[in-house]
Structure formats: structure tokens, C-alpha cells
Amino acid sequence: DDKLLTEPLSHPDFFGVKELFTLKDLFDARVHLGHKKGCRHRFMEPYIFGCRLDQDIIDLEQTMQHLQLALNFTAHVAYRGGIILFVSRRRQFCHLVESTARACGEYAHTRFWQGGLLTNAHVQFGPGVRLPDLLVFLSTLNNVFEPHVAIRDAAKMNIPTVGVVDTNCNPCLISYPIPGNDDSPAAVELYCKLFRMTIVRAKDKRRHSEAFRELQ
Amino acid sequence: LRLICTTAAVQRKNAGASGPEKYTEAFIKKQIEEFNLGKRHLANMMGEDPETFTQEDIDRAIAYLFPSGLFDERARPVMKHPTEIFPEQRKIQWGEDGRPFHFLFYTGKQSYYSLMHETYEKLLNVQKHQDQLIAQDLPLQKEKRNLAGSRWLTKIELEEMLLEKVSDDDYSRFIQLLQKLVALPCADIEEKYIQKFSKEVPVQLQKVVIEPLQYDERGVAFSTGEGRRKTASATAIVYDNGTGKITVNGIDILHYFPVLQDREQLLFPFQFLGRIGKHDMVCTVSGGGRSSQAGAIRLASAKALRSFVTEKEVEFMRQAGLLTLDPRVKERKKPGQEGPRRKFTWKKR
């Protein structure tokens, strides 16, 4: 049992997340497109490659590295049977995110975030509730273009976060930010596909390892 | 003064602060087993058959073995099934490993949001189907769904369906989404899903059926009508090919209604239609006073005349107020007042 949990940690890329995407895939899905220069957030400047005709272009080399770290982390969390909560407040992609979560067997929250969901969970849900072990943000801003309350709450409750940060977002409190576009449907579909594939892969690997151990 | 420094952890160990005891499923199951065993022991003690020992027998046995002089029933010794003693806990919505069953559990309103999710999925399906039809240049179905005879579920019915509270905003959003789904031309595909949320409303009878003319043995056409006014009720039979003779309770109107005003009331429907000398009338009336009897017969004769007359003239009669039942009745006297409205004389001192 101990070996089952410690073995994946010794490999840098146990679940092979690098093979799931290439730079060309990210480019075709328009992940590199950011917002206009006026919307730029100060802390996103390291991740921006340049500015063309007032529109920011995100550095895809850095995005690749961040995406690989983030997907690796989600795979490890899913391998250990953690609860993953997909959060997004974009109305266009609400249905897509919920369907992705259902397909993985994980959870989604794309609706109005009630104040005490994470911090006051024992009162809201009942005693003995288990909080999510990872929060995945497909868009870190809410409908009023402010940082989502869940980022701050997850930081308060010591829950790690993975989030797609656009050029107008604040990447500060997110543990594994992924600089990239969060507005185009193509980009969001790509992210959903990648997360779904990693989680499914990690869970399958866990099931195979357990079955293998049962046989021995 | 000595400052007592305690950590938060130590302070929280205060026993009284924790809520009511949590009853796990295993605990309740054990209690049920103990109860059944105790029931059999009790039956043996009382010398009765353990198989057919009912709750009433248990109560009687306990009252016999442990007589108590306490006044409050709830304080006396009791032996009941554990489900009646331990309060019902809210059904736990997560499994043994802590993972919730529903994928929208963390939203708080899982059934409502899953309903919205499903409805939106149906909407997307319909739009996809529509796009396919347009791509193949096929005509879209333009059959208008009959919305007059159906209504959407009310908020309370939706709450019962979802087994959780629904706020007014959420309910209105859901209804708007359903209306959007129904407004699409190809919504017939999801007809079955929409029917789950719509209810039939029995259409109220709007058109009053005018009875056809009846013919008696001599071949003369006649028609009947009923009318009420205050406490008088009347029935009138109007015959065709008449001379304008009107009989009330077997008495001619000149003798029954000596006052001109009452006779005018009787003749008003005929005068309005211009058929004064053309019809005979036989009426029976009871109750009320002279004016209310006259009004009752007027209404009855107007209703009877509807069968002789075109629809347009019926509409004219209705607008003239001949076919409307007069709702005015005597108002009751209230206590503390002399009459229905008159108060007692106010004396300054």
C-alpha cells in the first residue's frame, strides 16, 4: 500500500502527460491570444511573450512547462483518489465544464458561489463532509471581472489550486497557474480534453496497480 | 491577576460545545438488534409467545413491570423501536470514503442545478438538430404547440419534485429556460421531457350554450328560462305566435302586479327586441317581494328569448344588462352597529 503511493513520486513524469499536447496543438487552439494591452495585469508580465497591435501574446514555451506541471499534479491527486472540483464562472462553457467533470467522475461548480462553501462547509453541508483536495479553475475571474472568491477560500483552507490565468488575471494565490487564453471556445475545449484525459489515465493506472497487487 | 494562556485546541475540548450525538448507521443497527432481542426476553418473562408480541403488549408489559407515579408521560420508562426514539438524521450524501455521490454536490443545490444542466443539454440537442435540418435544406416544423390548455409547474410543485428548497429567482430562471426551449421550431423532439414540467388546465366553459327551441303538441315553438333576484326565483315559458298575454302563477299580470313599474320590468325584454305582441308567456314565481319577483321574471324571460333570437341580438341583450344576474342581496347586520352600515348614535358625553 505504501509502495503504491510512493512509487509514482519517484518519477518526474509517471503518467506521461508530456505526450498529451504539443506546442502546435496549443497554437491551433489559440491559447496564446491574450487581452488588450490596457487589460494587462502587472503580475502576468513575466508570462507574456510580446504585444502586437495592442494585443498581448502569451509565451507558449512557459505555458507548456506550467501546463505539464499542472497536469502532472492533477494526475497525482487523481491517482491518490482525491476530490477534484472544476470551477468556472463563464456562462458559455458552464455546460462543457459540467459534462467534463461528469465524464471524469469528479465534481464541478460553475454556478453562483455561496459565501461559506469551503470555509463554512460543516454548517452548510453537514458534519463530516470531505472538502475537495484540488480546485481546477478554467477561468479565474467571475462575471464582474474580479478574482473568483474560491481562490482566496482555497488558500485559506490549504487546498492546492490549478488555474488557467489570462492576461487580465491575478496569478498570485494559485499554486499551479497555467498562463493561457480562457475566452476562446477552442482553448477551453482543449483544456477540458487534457484534464479529462489525465484524470482518466491516472485513475486507470491506479486501478491496474491495485489489480496487479491483488494478483500477487 | 494571573493571565491564563490556553491554546485554542484545549479550549475547544469543552464537551458541551459539540452538537447533538451523531448516530451512525452501525449504532442504529445494533440498537435495533438489541431491541428485538429484548422484545423476545420480555415475551418470555410475561409467559407469552415471542413471535406474536406486538408493540401494545410491550407497552402493557413495561407498565406492569415498572410502575411509575410520574405525571409526564414522556418521563416514564418506554421500550420502542429505535427508529421512533432516535431522531432521523439527514441522509448522508457521500460514501464511506467521503466522496459525494452527485457530481454537483459542492454547489449546494444539486438537484436544481442538475435539472438546469439537463434542460440546457436538451436545448443544445434541439439546436444541433435544427442545424442539421438547415444544412440539408429541409423545412423546419412550424406546428404551433397549443399553450392555451397547459401551464408550467408551480414553485411548490417543483420543490416537491426536487426535494429541496427553490428560491423565486431560481424558479423564474428555470421557467425562462423552458420557454426558450419550447420557442424553438424543432422542440417537438424533446416533447416528452417538456411534458414532465407542464400540466393540463381544464379550459373553462366560456360560451354559454343557448338551448334550441322546443315544440309542444300544437306545433307552437316555446322556450324556458330561469331567473333569480334577491330571494325570489322564477321560471318562464315563452311561446311563439302569441298575442302578448302574460300569466304569473296562473294570474294575469294586471292583477298580480298592480304597480306600473313591475309591469314595465316584465315587458322590457320584449320591448328591447321589438316583439311585444308576438309572444305569450307563462311564469311561476316564489319568494321575495313584488319588485324582486318582477326582476326575477324579467331575467327568466330574457333567458328564454335567447332561443328565438340571432346571436347578435343576444350580444345586444347582454350589453343591455338583461342577461346578467343581479348580485345585490340584503347585507347582514353587524354586532356593535344598528344595521349593516348605520352605527349607533354617537353621544359626546
Side-chain angles (χ1 to χ4, degrees):
Chain A
D1 187 44
D2 209 26
K3 198 173 155 243
L4 208 68
L5 294 174
T6 51
E7 207 215 312
L9 296 172
S10 44
H11 300 254
D13 193 6
F14 186 68
F15 300 97
V17 286
K18 280 205 186 107
E19 22 185 271
L20 287 174
F21 59 94
T22 57
L23 205 133
K24 184 148 194 317
D25 288 335
L26 295 183
F27 185 81
D28 288 332
R30 308 194 272 279
V31 165
H32 59 288
L33 300 172
H35 289 275
K36 291 279 190 183
K37 194 163 72 175
C39 295
R40 196 192 298 169
H41 194 96
R42 208 187 125 159
F43 296 139
M44 287 300 288
E45 277 157 22
Y47 303 121
I48 291 172
F49 182 70
C51 190
R52 168 138 173 116
L53 291 172
D54 262 8
Q55 189 179 7
D56 288 328
I57 309 293
I58 298 166
D59 189 359
L60 282 182
E61 301 274 327
Q62 292 188 47
T63 305
M64 289 266 284
Q65 292 164 8
H66 282 94
L67 191 58
Q68 196 254 311
L69 287 171
L71 289 176
N72 188 32
F73 185 73
T74 44
H76 278 273
V77 170
Y79 182 85
R80 281 157 171 262
I83 296 179
I84 301 177
L85 186 64
F86 287 87
V87 180
S88 162
R89 204 55 184 102
R90 312 262 340 205
R91 244 183 85 110
Q92 299 162 281
F93 309 121
C94 149
H95 186 81
L96 175 65
V97 169
E98 285 182 343
S99 334
T100 320
R102 196 151 51 159
C104 303
E106 297 296 338
Y107 307 88
H109 184 104
T110 56
R111 310 285 179 168
F112 179 73
W113 182 274
Q114 281 170 321
L117 253 181
L118 291 181
T119 41
N120 205 14
H122 291 280
V123 166
Q124 290 221 333
F125 295 116
V129 70
R130 187 176 148 185
L131 287 179
D133 299 307
L134 174 66
L135 247 56
V136 176
F137 288 90
L138 275 305
S139 161
T140 38
L141 298 179
N142 58 15
N143 289 342
V144 216
F145 298 107
E146 277 169 19
H148 202 293
V149 180
I151 304 174
R152 189 203 66 188
D153 281 352
K156 278 191 188 176
M157 304 299 287
N158 284 349
I159 300 171
T161 38
V162 162
V164 174
V165 277
D166 206 351
T167 43
N168 55 354
C169 308
N170 188 352
C172 279
L173 284 175
I174 303 165
S175 344
Y176 290 90
I178 304 169
N181 191 6
D182 63 3
D183 302 292
S184 309
V188 175
E189 277 172 17
L190 176 75
Y191 297 134
C192 286
K193 193 180 80 159
L194 289 175
F195 278 113
R196 194 182 65 238
M197 278 160 67
T198 35
I199 293 171
V200 164
R201 232 188 229 199
K203 287 188 171 172
D204 282 341
K205 211 142 194 180
R206 175 66 185 243
R207 256 194 305 224
H208 289 324
S209 313
E210 285 199 329
F212 194 61
R213 217 169 45 112
E214 298 266 319
L215 288 172
Q216 278 176 344
Chain B
L1 289 166
R2 200 157 58 95
L3 276 170
I4 304 168
C5 300
T6 47
T7 54
V10 172
Q11 279 171 345
R12 240 183 291 127
K13 286 241 172 75
N14 179 14
S18 57
E21 234 180 85
K22 284 123 202 164
Y23 305 117
T24 53
E25 262 192 60
F27 173 78
I28 302 269
K29 234 167 50 176
K30 206 171 74 125
Q31 292 293 313
I32 294 174
E33 279 170 23
E34 282 183 9
F35 170 78
N36 286 328
L37 207 62
K39 199 167 85 165
R40 296 182 75 91
H41 278 304
L42 192 64
N44 271 331
M45 270 195 271
M46 301 298 287
E48 305 220 13
D49 185 19
E51 305 297 324
T52 57
F53 207 54
T54 58
Q55 186 60 44
E56 292 164 356
D57 299 326
I58 296 177
D59 292 333
R60 258 187 286 123
I62 295 289
Y64 172 73
L65 291 170
F66 303 99
S68 146
L70 298 168
F71 291 128
D72 199 346
E73 300 281 328
R74 289 171 295 177
R76 294 185 185 179
V78 84
M79 182 164 159
K80 283 200 155 59
H81 196 77
T83 44
E84 291 170 47
I85 300 182
F86 297 108
E88 267 214 43
Q89 309 260 285
R90 199 166 63 171
K91 219 165 61 166
I92 301 226
Q93 294 182 339
W94 50 85
E96 268 181 19
D97 56 350
R99 302 199 76 156
F101 298 128
H102 201 275
F103 77 109
L104 288 174
F105 169 76
Y106 287 105
T107 53
K109 308 178 214 177
Q110 61 180 45
S111 3
Y112 169 72
Y113 284 133
S114 76
L115 184 75
M116 292 290 275
H117 179 79
E118 265 179 42
T119 316
Y120 193 70
E121 207 172 306
K122 304 288 178 201
L123 193 92
L124 289 176
N125 270 348
V126 170
Q127 279 176 346
K128 210 168 70 172
H129 188 256
Q130 209 175 323
D131 292 335
Q132 281 173 358
L133 285 184
I134 291 174
Q136 292 164 10
D137 282 328
L138 287 168
L140 302 165
Q141 286 164 304
K142 283 279 178 184
E143 278 173 38
K144 273 244 157 179
R145 210 174 145 267
N146 184 24
L147 289 164
S150 62
R151 65 165 173 91
W152 297 118
L153 286 185
T154 57
K155 195 177 96 124
I156 301 164
E157 284 165 0
L158 190 67
E159 279 187 6
E160 277 172 34
M161 202 166 121
L162 298 177
L163 298 169
E164 70 178 19
K165 287 246 156 63
V166 174
S167 78
D168 291 327
D169 290 325
D170 292 339
Y171 172 71
S172 55
R173 267 186 196 268
F174 176 60
I175 296 297
Q176 277 167 13
L177 190 61
L178 279 177
Q179 279 165 350
K180 200 169 155 189
L181 176 60
V182 163
L184 292 175
C186 303
D188 305 320
I189 307 160
E190 307 296 343
E191 193 62 45
K192 221 169 80 167
Y193 184 76
I194 296 168
Q195 268 166 13
K196 271 196 255 176
F197 304 106
S198 61
K199 278 207 166 157
E200 290 277 323
V201 163
V203 179
Q204 284 167 352
L205 212 70
Q206 273 156 13
K207 244 197 150 160
V208 182
V209 177
I210 303 173
E211 282 168 15
L213 290 168
Q214 293 155 34
Y215 293 88
D216 67 1
E217 319 90 30
R218 286 177 294 142
V220 177
F222 72 95
S223 155
T224 43
E226 284 174 6
R228 275 185 291 118
R229 171 89 217 276
K230 268 192 182 175
T231 32
S233 58
T235 47
I237 312 169
V238 176
Y239 292 94
D240 209 357
N241 297 345
T243 48
K245 213 167 61 154
I246 304 177
T247 313
V248 182
N249 282 356
I251 308 166
D252 193 43
I253 60 163
L254 267 175
H255 299 290
Y256 198 83
F257 290 120
V259 182
L260 177 68
Q261 180 198 329
D262 305 332
R263 288 197 297 267
E264 269 183 0
Q265 287 283 301
L266 288 206
L267 286 171
F268 179 37
F270 299 98
Q271 184 225 346
F272 184 80
L273 295 168
R275 291 166 178 245
I276 290 190
K278 296 180 193 162
H279 291 285
D280 270 344
M281 190 159 75
V282 175
C283 1
T284 46
V285 68
S286 62
R290 61 147 229 260
S291 186
S292 44
Q293 279 186 348
I297 302 173
R298 183 184 110 170
L299 180 61
S301 58
K303 281 191 180 170
L305 279 171
R306 278 183 312 189
S307 324
F308 289 95
V309 136
T310 57
E311 269 192 40
K312 231 179 172 181
E313 295 206 309
V314 169
E315 181 59 26
F316 288 151
M317 277 217 287
R318 186 190 71 85
Q319 284 183 2
L322 277 166
L323 301 174
T324 321
L325 180 74
D326 201 333
R328 299 178 290 177
V329 281
K330 201 161 170 180
E331 200 175 312
R332 69 158 270 203
K333 178 194 168 316
K334 282 106 193 177
Q337 294 175 349
E338 205 171 296
R341 299 288 170 103
R342 159 126 175 104
K343 322 281 188 276
F344 290 125
T345 316
W346 177 67
K347 297 212 175 70
K348 200 160 182 177
R349 49 187 70 82

